[in-house]
Amino acid sequence: MRVMNNSLTGALYNRYQSGSMDSMSYTDFNRLVQSLTPNGSFTSPEGQLWSDYQDWKKAQPQRSLPDTKGLTDENIAYLKEHFSGELNIFQRVDAYDTMAEMGIITKQEMFEAIGFGPVELVSAGSEKIVANGTPEEARAKFMAKVAADWSGFFNGAAIMQSDSLEDLFKLLDEQLKNSRDKDAAQEIKDVLEQVARKSFGASWAMV
């Protein structure tokens, strides 16, 4: 998968790919955060991905979406044209963001598909990480958690495994199967089944 390098998400993904995530020092991590994020702060992997996506989006051409809302031939054609082939991580988020702007899914469904949890800003170099034991021990524990959180996200987050528009729709379908609001989930599932038929033909049949 491709990830842009000029973001904290990209820099940490490169660490993960090279197998050096677990050996990253506190100083090295602090340097990355200070150089790649505003005010030297960072969040959870999902929150950081969204923040980095917003920066990435500013550098992209402005969207010119069809005038129609919801599941329409025009909107499906736009998605297929602009999100074909293998998508980098920001293009995956952009596909969901575009669907939400089109009215195909809600913003809440978009964030759930990305894997959002609580977002809490943390400042790099904060003394709050110093709890029990020596500062060195506390920083080692802090870095172990950073490595575990990001490695778990890169290895296990569904959006990280969904590198095409078809995979993103499948992820939405799986998300809806676990929805607490069964009526709304069924309504959106019906929409996604129509998307599948219009976009991918019989090769993708949802159960």
Side-chain angles (χ1 to χ4, degrees):
M1 185 196 72
R2 295 172 291 142
V3 179
M4 305 299 103
N5 291 330
N6 59 339
S7 67
L8 184 58
T9 302
L12 294 178
Y13 185 71
N14 288 339
R15 287 274 187 170
Y16 169 76
Q17 278 190 312
S18 67
S20 61
M21 178 73 76
D22 291 337
S23 62
M24 182 169 50
S25 69
Y26 173 82
T27 300
D28 194 7
F29 177 74
N30 185 60
R31 186 180 297 116
L32 283 175
V33 173
Q34 294 288 350
S35 64
L36 295 173
T37 66
N39 304 318
S41 60
F42 63 100
T43 75
S44 65
E46 298 84 357
Q48 192 62 51
L49 170 60
W50 180 253
S51 177
D52 289 340
Y53 162 71
Q54 293 295 320
D55 291 337
W56 174 86
K57 183 179 175 182
K58 291 174 185 176
Q60 307 307 307
Q62 188 171 5
R63 291 178 182 142
S64 180
L65 300 180
D67 293 332
T68 57
K69 287 292 183 181
L71 181 68
T72 65
D73 290 337
E74 293 83 358
N75 284 342
I76 295 303
Y78 180 97
L79 291 172
K80 291 175 66 176
E81 177 183 354
H82 289 81
F83 300 102
S84 61
E86 181 182 355
L87 307 177
N88 71 45
I89 186 60
F90 297 137
Q91 289 171 326
R92 299 175 198 189
V93 178
D94 195 40
Y96 281 141
D97 196 15
T98 302
M99 289 180 211
E101 193 171 338
M102 288 175 164
I104 294 175
I105 60 175
T106 67
K107 283 287 187 181
Q108 180 179 345
E109 288 154 1
M110 175 193 72
F111 284 124
E112 288 176 355
I114 295 171
F116 249 78
V119 175
E120 181 179 354
L121 282 176
V122 180
S123 296
S126 171
E127 291 304 313
K128 291 181 180 179
I129 68 167
V130 180
N132 297 323
T134 67
E136 290 75 16
E137 291 171 338
R139 287 172 179 171
K141 291 179 181 178
F142 171 78
M143 288 310 304
K145 184 178 187 308
V146 166
D149 288 348
W150 281 92
S151 293
F153 177 71
F154 290 138
N155 183 57
I159 194 171
M160 298 299 294
Q161 317 305 322
S162 305
D163 63 1
S164 69
L165 184 62
E166 181 178 1
D167 288 339
L168 292 174
F169 277 125
K170 288 180 180 178
L171 175 56
L172 281 173
D173 179 52
E174 189 63 31
Q175 170 191 323
L176 293 171
K177 288 178 182 177
N178 299 322
S179 172
R180 293 181 180 179
D181 190 343
K182 298 302 181 183
D183 291 338
Q186 184 59 49
E187 180 180 344
I188 300 168
K189 179 177 172 60
D190 292 342
V191 169
L192 293 177
E193 287 176 342
Q194 294 178 56
V195 171
R197 288 194 293 272
K198 289 186 177 184
S199 298
F200 310 110
S203 61
W204 175 31
M206 294 186 290
V207 177

